[in-house]
Amino acid sequence: MKLIGIETATESCSVALWQDGDLLERFEMAPRRQTELVLPMVEALLAEAGLTASQLDGVAFGRGPGAFTGVRVAVAVAQGLAFAIDRPVLGISTLASAALAAFDRGARGPLLTAFDARMNELYLAVYAQQGDSDALQVLVEDCLASPLALPALPREVRTGTGSGDVHRAALQQALPALEEWLPDGYPRAATIVRLAAPGFAAGEGVDAAQARPVYLRDQVIQGANR
């Protein structure tokens, strides 16, 4: 199975190619430059692997939450590529992607993944890793919350990751055991495609027209639909 993953929801831009478990990835910190970088990254990865787009079996993308424009870029590129080669797509949570990247770097136990959502809000979720596999258990679903009105969070969470550390003081009031924050907690195309691979294998990919972003902020969704 050959899959490509696209992730542009935060300040980074990345593309990854999965070939039966083998991974190639291009990752760059590129605030507001994702639109110009992502397609050249796709072309470079395919060339490096000696593949054409028509040899892909599916396209995975970071569906959000994240920056409104960045999430739209990933969805649009995934749709365009999938339409061109008539392949299915599968959207993956950017919070889950960042969580798996943190587990790769040694995080253990329930992990808080939190992104700064601006407007004094956070995108957050809590995940646990199932053994040493890529499978993640969702302990708190992806949500949008005020640092001063957080959802119920597992009290045993000791580690966090993501740009949400700007609200760390408020998070530690809700999570007294929170003692470590992993820097550079970005979602990555490599973890997007790893999380998507079992779904594609199970036939969960959908037609490109069904690719949908997840913004979590109602007013943004309403504005986008006008």
Side-chain angles (χ1 to χ4, degrees):
M1 184 167 59
K2 300 177 180 65
L3 306 171
I4 201 157
I6 298 162
E7 169 45 45
T8 60
T10 62
E11 295 182 340
S12 65
C13 180
S14 58
V15 174
L17 182 66
W18 160 288
Q19 296 187 79
D20 298 319
D22 293 329
L23 270 172
L24 294 173
E25 185 188 40
R26 298 289 175 93
F27 178 95
E28 184 173 338
M29 293 304 299
R32 297 176 295 279
R33 295 181 58 224
Q34 292 95 332
T35 302
E36 66 184 83
L37 291 176
V38 63
L39 285 175
M41 281 184 170
V42 170
E43 294 168 0
L45 266 190
L46 290 173
E48 182 179 347
L51 297 175
T52 63
S54 62
Q55 292 175 277
L56 297 172
D57 297 298
V59 182
F61 63 95
R63 70 188 183 201
F68 177 52
T69 300
V71 173
R72 287 196 302 172
V73 168
V75 174
V77 171
Q79 282 184 315
L81 182 56
F83 273 128
I85 60 177
D86 191 24
R87 296 293 188 275
V89 300
L90 191 58
I92 298 295
S93 162
T94 49
L95 290 166
S97 170
L100 182 55
F103 287 125
D104 287 345
R105 294 159 58 199
R108 293 290 179 268
L111 174 78
L112 172 71
T113 309
F115 298 161
D116 181 15
R118 312 297 182 186
M119 298 171 64
N120 199 36
E121 291 180 311
L122 287 164
Y123 300 123
L124 64 85
V126 178
Y127 296 94
Q129 189 173 27
Q130 297 183 354
D132 293 326
S133 72
D134 289 347
L136 298 180
Q137 179 184 4
V138 181
L139 302 181
V140 176
E141 296 277 355
D142 293 12
C143 65
L144 177 70
S146 163
L148 301 178
L150 295 167
L153 300 171
R155 303 282 287 181
E156 66 271 25
V157 170
R158 295 180 178 275
T159 305
T161 192
S163 60
D165 62 340
V166 296
H167 297 291
R168 188 167 174 179
L171 290 169
Q172 285 187 296
Q173 287 189 350
L175 296 167
L178 185 63
E179 59 186 23
E180 180 184 22
W181 199 277
L182 298 179
D184 303 323
Y186 297 101
R188 301 185 67 114
T191 50
I192 290 288
V193 78
R194 283 163 56 194
L195 289 167
F200 278 115
E204 296 173 5
V206 300
D207 185 86
Q210 298 180 52
R212 294 288 184 271
V214 173
Y215 297 120
L216 293 183
R217 182 172 278 144
D218 289 342
Q219 59 265 41
V220 171
I221 297 173
Q222 291 165 1
N225 288 337
R226 287 174 187 159

mmCIF file of all heavy atoms in Angstrom, residues 123-174:
data_model
loop_
_atom_site.group_PDB
_atom_site.id
_atom_site.type_symbol
_atom_site.label_atom_id
_atom_site.label_comp_id
_atom_site.label_asym_id
_atom_site.label_seq_id
_atom_site.Cartn_x
_atom_site.Cartn_y
_atom_site.Cartn_z
ATOM 1 N N TYR A 123 -7.627 24.494 21.434
ATOM 2 C CA TYR A 123 -8.027 23.206 20.891
ATOM 3 C C TYR A 123 -7.292 22.167 21.726
ATOM 4 O O TYR A 123 -6.067 22.235 21.876
ATOM 5 C CB TYR A 123 -7.595 23.052 19.437
ATOM 6 C CG TYR A 123 -8.156 24.081 18.482
ATOM 7 C CD1 TYR A 123 -7.315 24.875 17.718
ATOM 8 C CD2 TYR A 123 -9.530 24.238 18.333
ATOM 9 C CE1 TYR A 123 -7.815 25.803 16.821
ATOM 10 C CE2 TYR A 123 -10.054 25.171 17.443
ATOM 11 C CZ TYR A 123 -9.184 25.952 16.689
ATOM 12 O OH TYR A 123 -9.685 26.876 15.810
ATOM 13 N N LEU A 124 -8.015 21.199 22.258
ATOM 14 C CA LEU A 124 -7.318 20.222 23.094
ATOM 15 C C LEU A 124 -7.968 18.849 23.022
ATOM 16 O O LEU A 124 -9.130 18.700 22.635
ATOM 17 C CB LEU A 124 -7.218 20.705 24.538
ATOM 18 C CG LEU A 124 -8.502 20.896 25.365
ATOM 19 C CD1 LEU A 124 -8.965 19.591 26.008
ATOM 20 C CD2 LEU A 124 -8.284 21.941 26.445
ATOM 21 N N ALA A 125 -7.177 17.852 23.405
ATOM 22 C CA ALA A 125 -7.622 16.468 23.499
ATOM 23 C C ALA A 125 -6.649 15.743 24.417
ATOM 24 O O ALA A 125 -5.548 16.226 24.690
ATOM 25 C CB ALA A 125 -7.665 15.801 22.128
ATOM 26 N N VAL A 126 -7.051 14.562 24.892
ATOM 27 C CA VAL A 126 -6.160 13.713 25.684
ATOM 28 C C VAL A 126 -6.141 12.330 25.051
ATOM 29 O O VAL A 126 -7.200 11.750 24.761
ATOM 30 C CB VAL A 126 -6.608 13.624 27.165
ATOM 31 C CG1 VAL A 126 -5.675 12.696 27.941
ATOM 32 C CG2 VAL A 126 -6.626 15.010 27.803
ATOM 33 N N TYR A 127 -4.925 11.828 24.842
ATOM 34 C CA TYR A 127 -4.743 10.521 24.205
ATOM 35 C C TYR A 127 -3.828 9.649 25.049
ATOM 36 O O TYR A 127 -2.967 10.146 25.792
ATOM 37 C CB TYR A 127 -4.096 10.673 22.817
ATOM 38 C CG TYR A 127 -4.928 11.412 21.819
ATOM 39 C CD1 TYR A 127 -4.770 12.777 21.628
ATOM 40 C CD2 TYR A 127 -5.875 10.749 21.039
ATOM 41 C CE1 TYR A 127 -5.534 13.470 20.700
ATOM 42 C CE2 TYR A 127 -6.640 11.417 20.108
ATOM 43 C CZ TYR A 127 -6.469 12.779 19.944
ATOM 44 O OH TYR A 127 -7.220 13.467 19.024
ATOM 45 N N ALA A 128 -3.989 8.339 24.879
ATOM 46 C CA ALA A 128 -3.053 7.363 25.433
ATOM 47 C C ALA A 128 -2.618 6.451 24.298
ATOM 48 O O ALA A 128 -3.387 6.189 23.364
ATOM 49 C CB ALA A 128 -3.707 6.557 26.554
ATOM 50 N N GLN A 129 -1.389 5.986 24.364
ATOM 51 C CA GLN A 129 -0.879 5.079 23.341
ATOM 52 C C GLN A 129 -1.175 3.646 23.745
ATOM 53 O O GLN A 129 -1.022 3.278 24.920
ATOM 54 C CB GLN A 129 0.625 5.274 23.156
ATOM 55 C CG GLN A 129 1.205 4.539 21.966
ATOM 56 C CD GLN A 129 2.661 4.893 21.727
ATOM 57 O OE1 GLN A 129 3.377 5.275 22.664
ATOM 58 N NE2 GLN A 129 3.122 4.784 20.498
ATOM 59 N N GLN A 130 -1.574 2.841 22.788
ATOM 60 C CA GLN A 130 -1.883 1.446 23.061
ATOM 61 C C GLN A 130 -0.628 0.607 22.816
ATOM 62 O O GLN A 130 -0.299 0.258 21.688
ATOM 63 C CB GLN A 130 -3.046 0.980 22.188
ATOM 64 C CG GLN A 130 -4.332 1.754 22.483
ATOM 65 C CD GLN A 130 -5.528 1.260 21.689
ATOM 66 O OE1 GLN A 130 -5.417 0.404 20.823
ATOM 67 N NE2 GLN A 130 -6.695 1.792 21.992
ATOM 68 N N GLY A 131 0.075 0.311 23.905
ATOM 69 C CA GLY A 131 1.324 -0.428 23.786
ATOM 70 C C GLY A 131 2.361 0.386 23.038
ATOM 71 O O GLY A 131 2.477 1.593 23.220
ATOM 72 N N ASP A 132 3.111 -0.283 22.182
ATOM 73 C CA ASP A 132 4.113 0.402 21.363
ATOM 74 C C ASP A 132 3.617 0.629 19.936
ATOM 75 O O ASP A 132 4.395 0.981 19.053
ATOM 76 C CB ASP A 132 5.412 -0.417 21.306
ATOM 77 C CG ASP A 132 6.095 -0.487 22.665
ATOM 78 O OD1 ASP A 132 6.011 0.508 23.406
ATOM 79 O OD2 ASP A 132 6.685 -1.532 22.986
ATOM 80 N N SER A 133 2.318 0.446 19.725
ATOM 81 C CA SER A 133 1.761 0.575 18.387
ATOM 82 C C SER A 133 1.437 2.037 18.089
ATOM 83 O O SER A 133 1.543 2.915 18.949
ATOM 84 C CB SER A 133 0.489 -0.267 18.260
ATOM 85 O OG SER A 133 -0.573 0.338 18.992
ATOM 86 N N ASP A 134 1.007 2.294 16.858
ATOM 87 C CA ASP A 134 0.558 3.632 16.479
ATOM 88 C C ASP A 134 -0.876 3.904 16.928
ATOM 89 O O ASP A 134 -1.348 5.036 16.804
ATOM 90 C CB ASP A 134 0.650 3.812 14.959
ATOM 91 C CG ASP A 134 2.086 3.919 14.471
ATOM 92 O OD1 ASP A 134 2.991 4.104 15.312
ATOM 93 O OD2 ASP A 134 2.300 3.801 13.251
ATOM 94 N N ALA A 135 -1.564 2.887 17.420
ATOM 95 C CA ALA A 135 -2.963 3.052 17.806
ATOM 96 C C ALA A 135 -3.067 3.949 19.040
ATOM 97 O O ALA A 135 -2.333 3.773 20.023
ATOM 98 C CB ALA A 135 -3.601 1.701 18.081
ATOM 99 N N LEU A 136 -3.981 4.905 18.991
ATOM 100 C CA LEU A 136 -4.203 5.821 20.103
ATOM 101 C C LEU A 136 -5.592 5.619 20.691
ATOM 102 O O LEU A 136 -6.565 5.445 19.966
ATOM 103 C CB LEU A 136 -4.066 7.272 19.634
ATOM 104 C CG LEU A 136 -2.709 7.704 19.076
ATOM 105 C CD1 LEU A 136 -2.756 9.173 18.671
ATOM 106 C CD2 LEU A 136 -1.593 7.462 20.080
ATOM 107 N N GLN A 137 -5.666 5.686 21.998
ATOM 108 C CA GLN A 137 -6.950 5.654 22.698
ATOM 109 C C GLN A 137 -7.356 7.085 23.017
ATOM 110 O O GLN A 137 -6.567 7.846 23.584
ATOM 111 C CB GLN A 137 -6.840 4.841 23.989
ATOM 112 C CG GLN A 137 -8.129 4.787 24.793
ATOM 113 C CD GLN A 137 -7.954 4.056 26.101
ATOM 114 O OE1 GLN A 137 -6.842 3.645 26.462
ATOM 115 N NE2 GLN A 137 -9.034 3.896 26.848
ATOM 116 N N VAL A 138 -8.559 7.457 22.641
ATOM 117 C CA VAL A 138 -9.043 8.811 22.897
ATOM 118 C C VAL A 138 -9.657 8.863 24.289
ATOM 119 O O VAL A 138 -10.658 8.204 24.564
ATOM 120 C CB VAL A 138 -10.089 9.231 21.839
ATOM 121 C CG1 VAL A 138 -10.564 10.648 22.107
ATOM 122 C CG2 VAL A 138 -9.516 9.104 20.440
ATOM 123 N N LEU A 139 -9.040 9.641 25.174
ATOM 124 C CA LEU A 139 -9.560 9.807 26.536
ATOM 125 C C LEU A 139 -10.431 11.047 26.659
ATOM 126 O O LEU A 139 -11.372 11.065 27.440
ATOM 127 C CB LEU A 139 -8.403 9.868 27.533
ATOM 128 C CG LEU A 139 -7.458 8.654 27.540
ATOM 129 C CD1 LEU A 139 -6.373 8.837 28.592
ATOM 130 C CD2 LEU A 139 -8.229 7.361 27.781
ATOM 131 N N VAL A 140 -10.080 12.089 25.924
ATOM 132 C CA VAL A 140 -10.911 13.302 25.827
ATOM 133 C C VAL A 140 -10.959 13.680 24.359
ATOM 134 O O VAL A 140 -9.920 13.880 23.723
ATOM 135 C CB VAL A 140 -10.344 14.469 26.657
ATOM 136 C CG1 VAL A 140 -11.179 15.737 26.448
ATOM 137 C CG2 VAL A 140 -10.299 14.108 28.139
ATOM 138 N N GLU A 141 -12.154 13.742 23.792
ATOM 139 C CA GLU A 141 -12.316 14.048 22.370
ATOM 140 C C GLU A 141 -11.805 15.446 22.042
ATOM 141 O O GLU A 141 -11.817 16.351 22.886
ATOM 142 C CB GLU A 141 -13.805 13.962 21.991
ATOM 143 C CG GLU A 141 -14.428 12.595 22.126
ATOM 144 C CD GLU A 141 -14.167 11.694 20.928
ATOM 145 O OE1 GLU A 141 -13.561 12.186 19.938
ATOM 146 O OE2 GLU A 141 -14.564 10.525 20.974
ATOM 147 N N ASP A 142 -11.367 15.626 20.781
ATOM 148 C CA ASP A 142 -10.950 16.944 20.311
ATOM 149 C C ASP A 142 -12.053 17.962 20.608
ATOM 150 O O ASP A 142 -13.232 17.729 20.290
ATOM 151 C CB ASP A 142 -10.723 16.918 18.799
ATOM 152 C CG ASP A 142 -9.537 16.058 18.391
ATOM 153 O OD1 ASP A 142 -9.011 15.305 19.230
ATOM 154 O OD2 ASP A 142 -9.146 16.124 17.209
ATOM 155 N N CYS A 143 -11.662 19.092 21.188
ATOM 156 C CA CYS A 143 -12.661 20.092 21.538
ATOM 157 C C CYS A 143 -12.034 21.478 21.553
ATOM 158 O O CYS A 143 -10.810 21.636 21.523
ATOM 159 C CB CYS A 143 -13.301 19.784 22.896
ATOM 160 S SG CYS A 143 -12.163 19.867 24.294
ATOM 161 N N LEU A 144 -12.886 22.488 21.588
ATOM 162 C CA LEU A 144 -12.483 23.880 21.754
ATOM 163 C C LEU A 144 -12.931 24.322 23.137
ATOM 164 O O LEU A 144 -14.088 24.122 23.501
ATOM 165 C CB LEU A 144 -13.148 24.750 20.685
ATOM 166 C CG LEU A 144 -12.897 26.258 20.762
ATOM 167 C CD1 LEU A 144 -11.453 26.594 20.394
ATOM 168 C CD2 LEU A 144 -13.865 26.999 19.831
ATOM 169 N N ALA A 145 -12.003 24.897 23.918
ATOM 170 C CA ALA A 145 -12.359 25.249 25.289
ATOM 171 C C ALA A 145 -11.629 26.503 25.734
ATOM 172 O O ALA A 145 -10.537 26.814 25.248
ATOM 173 C CB ALA A 145 -12.011 24.095 26.237
ATOM 174 N N SER A 146 -12.230 27.195 26.655
ATOM 175 C CA SER A 146 -11.569 28.316 27.318
ATOM 176 C C SER A 146 -10.638 27.763 28.386
ATOM 177 O O SER A 146 -10.999 26.799 29.088
ATOM 178 C CB SER A 146 -12.601 29.233 27.968
ATOM 179 O OG SER A 146 -11.978 30.086 28.911
ATOM 180 N N PRO A 147 -9.442 28.336 28.558
ATOM 181 C CA PRO A 147 -8.558 27.875 29.639
ATOM 182 C C PRO A 147 -9.197 28.003 31.020
ATOM 183 O O PRO A 147 -8.795 27.317 31.955
ATOM 184 C CB PRO A 147 -7.332 28.798 29.504
ATOM 185 C CG PRO A 147 -7.368 29.318 28.118
ATOM 186 C CD PRO A 147 -8.816 29.412 27.758
ATOM 187 N N LEU A 148 -10.194 28.885 31.123
ATOM 188 C CA LEU A 148 -10.862 29.091 32.406
ATOM 189 C C LEU A 148 -12.110 28.227 32.566
ATOM 190 O O LEU A 148 -12.763 28.261 33.618
ATOM 191 C CB LEU A 148 -11.230 30.565 32.567
ATOM 192 C CG LEU A 148 -10.045 31.542 32.501
ATOM 193 C CD1 LEU A 148 -10.531 32.977 32.633
ATOM 194 C CD2 LEU A 148 -9.012 31.213 33.561
ATOM 195 N N ALA A 149 -12.467 27.458 31.537
ATOM 196 C CA ALA A 149 -13.641 26.579 31.605
ATOM 197 C C ALA A 149 -13.330 25.300 30.840
ATOM 198 O O ALA A 149 -13.931 25.000 29.805
ATOM 199 C CB ALA A 149 -14.868 27.278 31.025
ATOM 200 N N LEU A 150 -12.371 24.551 31.366
ATOM 201 C CA LEU A 150 -11.900 23.348 30.685
ATOM 202 C C LEU A 150 -12.870 22.183 30.905
ATOM 203 O O LEU A 150 -13.558 22.122 31.934
ATOM 204 C CB LEU A 150 -10.517 22.964 31.215
ATOM 205 C CG LEU A 150 -9.402 23.968 30.907
ATOM 206 C CD1 LEU A 150 -8.164 23.648 31.734
ATOM 207 C CD2 LEU A 150 -9.072 23.946 29.419
ATOM 208 N N PRO A 151 -12.917 21.243 29.968
ATOM 209 C CA PRO A 151 -13.711 20.037 30.195
ATOM 210 C C PRO A 151 -13.049 19.175 31.269
ATOM 211 O O PRO A 151 -11.917 19.447 31.694
ATOM 212 C CB PRO A 151 -13.675 19.339 28.831
ATOM 213 C CG PRO A 151 -12.379 19.777 28.231
ATOM 214 C CD PRO A 151 -12.199 21.207 28.680
ATOM 215 N N ALA A 152 -13.742 18.145 31.705
ATOM 216 C CA ALA A 152 -13.152 17.213 32.674
ATOM 217 C C ALA A 152 -11.959 16.509 32.025
ATOM 218 O O ALA A 152 -12.079 15.935 30.942
ATOM 219 C CB ALA A 152 -14.196 16.198 33.108
ATOM 220 N N LEU A 153 -10.814 16.593 32.683
ATOM 221 C CA LEU A 153 -9.584 16.008 32.156
ATOM 222 C C LEU A 153 -9.054 14.975 33.134
ATOM 223 O O LEU A 153 -9.184 15.145 34.357
ATOM 224 C CB LEU A 153 -8.528 17.102 31.942
ATOM 225 C CG LEU A 153 -8.901 18.234 30.974
ATOM 226 C CD1 LEU A 153 -7.849 19.343 31.026
ATOM 227 C CD2 LEU A 153 -9.046 17.695 29.557
ATOM 228 N N PRO A 154 -8.442 13.902 32.643
ATOM 229 C CA PRO A 154 -7.891 12.887 33.546
ATOM 230 C C PRO A 154 -6.836 13.486 34.468
ATOM 231 O O PRO A 154 -5.866 14.082 34.002
ATOM 232 C CB PRO A 154 -7.270 11.857 32.587
ATOM 233 C CG PRO A 154 -7.957 12.075 31.282
ATOM 234 C CD PRO A 154 -8.249 13.537 31.222
ATOM 235 N N ARG A 155 -7.000 13.316 35.767
ATOM 236 C CA ARG A 155 -6.113 13.964 36.729
ATOM 237 C C ARG A 155 -4.688 13.423 36.678
ATOM 238 O O ARG A 155 -3.759 14.061 37.160
ATOM 239 C CB ARG A 155 -6.668 13.770 38.141
ATOM 240 C CG ARG A 155 -8.081 14.289 38.333
ATOM 241 C CD ARG A 155 -8.121 15.780 38.499
ATOM 242 N NE ARG A 155 -7.622 16.201 39.803
ATOM 243 C CZ ARG A 155 -7.579 17.468 40.193
ATOM 244 N NH1 ARG A 155 -7.994 18.435 39.385
ATOM 245 N NH2 ARG A 155 -7.104 17.807 41.387
ATOM 246 N N GLU A 156 -4.515 12.237 36.072
ATOM 247 C CA GLU A 156 -3.188 11.634 36.037
ATOM 248 C C GLU A 156 -2.321 12.134 34.887
ATOM 249 O O GLU A 156 -1.177 11.706 34.734
ATOM 250 C CB GLU A 156 -3.288 10.101 35.967
ATOM 251 C CG GLU A 156 -3.907 9.535 34.692
ATOM 252 C CD GLU A 156 -5.416 9.390 34.749
ATOM 253 O OE1 GLU A 156 -6.042 10.128 35.540
ATOM 254 O OE2 GLU A 156 -5.947 8.545 34.019
ATOM 255 N N VAL A 157 -2.845 13.053 34.066
ATOM 256 C CA VAL A 157 -2.051 13.594 32.961
ATOM 257 C C VAL A 157 -0.831 14.325 33.518
ATOM 258 O O VAL A 157 -0.962 15.264 34.315
ATOM 259 C CB VAL A 157 -2.892 14.558 32.090
ATOM 260 C CG1 VAL A 157 -1.998 15.293 31.099
ATOM 261 C CG2 VAL A 157 -3.975 13.787 31.350
ATOM 262 N N ARG A 158 0.358 13.895 33.086
ATOM 263 C CA ARG A 158 1.602 14.504 33.549
ATOM 264 C C ARG A 158 2.335 15.262 32.447
ATOM 265 O O ARG A 158 3.220 16.072 32.740
ATOM 266 C CB ARG A 158 2.540 13.422 34.113
ATOM 267 C CG ARG A 158 2.025 12.741 35.360
ATOM 268 C CD ARG A 158 3.008 11.675 35.855
ATOM 269 N NE ARG A 158 2.518 11.063 37.073
ATOM 270 C CZ ARG A 158 2.709 11.553 38.295
ATOM 271 N NH1 ARG A 158 3.407 12.686 38.438
ATOM 272 N NH2 ARG A 158 2.228 10.946 39.353
ATOM 273 N N THR A 159 1.970 14.988 31.187
ATOM 274 C CA THR A 159 2.720 15.546 30.068
ATOM 275 C C THR A 159 1.774 16.209 29.083
ATOM 276 O O THR A 159 0.689 15.712 28.809
ATOM 277 C CB THR A 159 3.510 14.438 29.334
ATOM 278 O OG1 THR A 159 4.331 13.750 30.281
ATOM 279 C CG2 THR A 159 4.392 15.025 28.238
ATOM 280 N N GLY A 160 2.220 17.351 28.549
ATOM 281 C CA GLY A 160 1.467 18.049 27.518
ATOM 282 C C GLY A 160 2.364 18.371 26.341
ATOM 283 O O GLY A 160 3.594 18.320 26.432
ATOM 284 N N THR A 161 1.733 18.694 25.217
ATOM 285 C CA THR A 161 2.488 19.103 24.040
ATOM 286 C C THR A 161 1.624 20.021 23.197
ATOM 287 O O THR A 161 0.397 20.008 23.309
ATOM 288 C CB THR A 161 2.947 17.880 23.217
ATOM 289 O OG1 THR A 161 3.914 18.294 22.248
ATOM 290 C CG2 THR A 161 1.779 17.206 22.501
ATOM 291 N N GLY A 162 2.262 20.823 22.351
ATOM 292 C CA GLY A 162 1.544 21.737 21.480
ATOM 293 C C GLY A 162 1.702 23.188 21.908
ATOM 294 O O GLY A 162 2.228 23.493 22.990
ATOM 295 N N SER A 163 1.212 24.083 21.070
ATOM 296 C CA SER A 163 1.346 25.516 21.323
ATOM 297 C C SER A 163 0.459 26.015 22.464
ATOM 298 O O SER A 163 0.541 27.180 22.858
ATOM 299 C CB SER A 163 1.017 26.307 20.053
ATOM 300 O OG SER A 163 -0.322 26.044 19.624
ATOM 301 N N GLY A 164 -0.364 25.138 23.012
ATOM 302 C CA GLY A 164 -1.239 25.513 24.116
ATOM 303 C C GLY A 164 -0.518 25.807 25.409
ATOM 304 O O GLY A 164 -1.149 26.190 26.398
ATOM 305 N N ASP A 165 0.822 25.645 25.424
ATOM 306 C CA ASP A 165 1.550 25.955 26.651
ATOM 307 C C ASP A 165 1.501 27.443 27.001
ATOM 308 O O ASP A 165 1.883 27.835 28.099
ATOM 309 C CB ASP A 165 2.991 25.462 26.579
ATOM 310 C CG ASP A 165 3.799 26.122 25.482
ATOM 311 O OD1 ASP A 165 3.183 26.674 24.545
ATOM 312 O OD2 ASP A 165 5.037 26.084 25.542
ATOM 313 N N VAL A 166 0.994 28.274 26.084
ATOM 314 C CA VAL A 166 0.800 29.696 26.437
ATOM 315 C C VAL A 166 -0.241 29.835 27.546
ATOM 316 O O VAL A 166 -0.307 30.861 28.212
ATOM 317 C CB VAL A 166 0.387 30.532 25.206
ATOM 318 C CG1 VAL A 166 1.488 30.544 24.170
ATOM 319 C CG2 VAL A 166 -0.921 30.022 24.596
ATOM 320 N N HIS A 167 -1.060 28.799 27.728
ATOM 321 C CA HIS A 167 -2.063 28.794 28.794
ATOM 322 C C HIS A 167 -1.714 27.750 29.858
ATOM 323 O O HIS A 167 -2.595 27.201 30.523
ATOM 324 C CB HIS A 167 -3.450 28.489 28.222
ATOM 325 C CG HIS A 167 -3.943 29.525 27.256
ATOM 326 N ND1 HIS A 167 -4.297 30.793 27.653
ATOM 327 C CD2 HIS A 167 -4.126 29.473 25.911
ATOM 328 C CE1 HIS A 167 -4.693 31.488 26.593
ATOM 329 N NE2 HIS A 167 -4.596 30.714 25.525
ATOM 330 N N ARG A 168 -0.426 27.498 30.022
ATOM 331 C CA ARG A 168 0.001 26.417 30.914
ATOM 332 C C ARG A 168 -0.425 26.642 32.355
ATOM 333 O O ARG A 168 -0.782 25.694 33.063
ATOM 334 C CB ARG A 168 1.512 26.242 30.815
ATOM 335 C CG ARG A 168 2.020 25.010 31.551
ATOM 336 C CD ARG A 168 3.439 24.708 31.177
ATOM 337 N NE ARG A 168 3.988 23.634 31.969
ATOM 338 C CZ ARG A 168 5.218 23.157 31.837
ATOM 339 N NH1 ARG A 168 6.020 23.664 30.908
ATOM 340 N NH2 ARG A 168 5.664 22.181 32.599
ATOM 341 N N ALA A 169 -0.403 27.882 32.823
ATOM 342 C CA ALA A 169 -0.790 28.145 34.212
ATOM 343 C C ALA A 169 -2.219 27.690 34.472
ATOM 344 O O ALA A 169 -2.511 27.035 35.487
ATOM 345 C CB ALA A 169 -0.628 29.626 34.535
ATOM 346 N N ALA A 170 -3.128 28.008 33.546
ATOM 347 C CA ALA A 170 -4.523 27.587 33.705
ATOM 348 C C ALA A 170 -4.659 26.075 33.585
ATOM 349 O O ALA A 170 -5.437 25.451 34.317
ATOM 350 C CB ALA A 170 -5.395 28.275 32.654
ATOM 351 N N LEU A 171 -3.889 25.486 32.679
ATOM 352 C CA LEU A 171 -3.943 24.034 32.513
ATOM 353 C C LEU A 171 -3.459 23.325 33.777
ATOM 354 O O LEU A 171 -4.021 22.298 34.180
ATOM 355 C CB LEU A 171 -3.102 23.611 31.304
ATOM 356 C CG LEU A 171 -3.666 24.002 29.939
ATOM 357 C CD1 LEU A 171 -2.624 23.779 28.840
ATOM 358 C CD2 LEU A 171 -4.929 23.201 29.627
ATOM 359 N N GLN A 172 -2.433 23.855 34.413
ATOM 360 C CA GLN A 172 -1.913 23.203 35.611
ATOM 361 C C GLN A 172 -2.863 23.335 36.795
ATOM 362 O O GLN A 172 -2.828 22.504 37.705
ATOM 363 C CB GLN A 172 -0.532 23.770 35.952
ATOM 364 C CG GLN A 172 0.543 23.241 35.004
ATOM 365 C CD GLN A 172 1.941 23.637 35.420
ATOM 366 O OE1 GLN A 172 2.257 24.821 35.428
ATOM 367 N NE2 GLN A 172 2.767 22.653 35.743
ATOM 368 N N GLN A 173 -3.726 24.346 36.790
ATOM 369 C CA GLN A 173 -4.741 24.420 37.838
ATOM 370 C C GLN A 173 -5.723 23.262 37.703
ATOM 371 O O GLN A 173 -6.201 22.731 38.703
ATOM 372 C CB GLN A 173 -5.481 25.751 37.758
ATOM 373 C CG GLN A 173 -4.659 26.935 38.242
ATOM 374 C CD GLN A 173 -5.475 28.204 38.359
ATOM 375 O OE1 GLN A 173 -6.617 28.263 37.903
ATOM 376 N NE2 GLN A 173 -4.898 29.219 38.976
ATOM 377 N N ALA A 174 -6.032 22.878 36.449
ATOM 378 C CA ALA A 174 -6.946 21.758 36.221
ATOM 379 C C ALA A 174 -6.242 20.415 36.315
ATOM 380 O O ALA A 174 -6.883 19.395 36.582
ATOM 381 C CB ALA A 174 -7.593 21.901 34.851
#
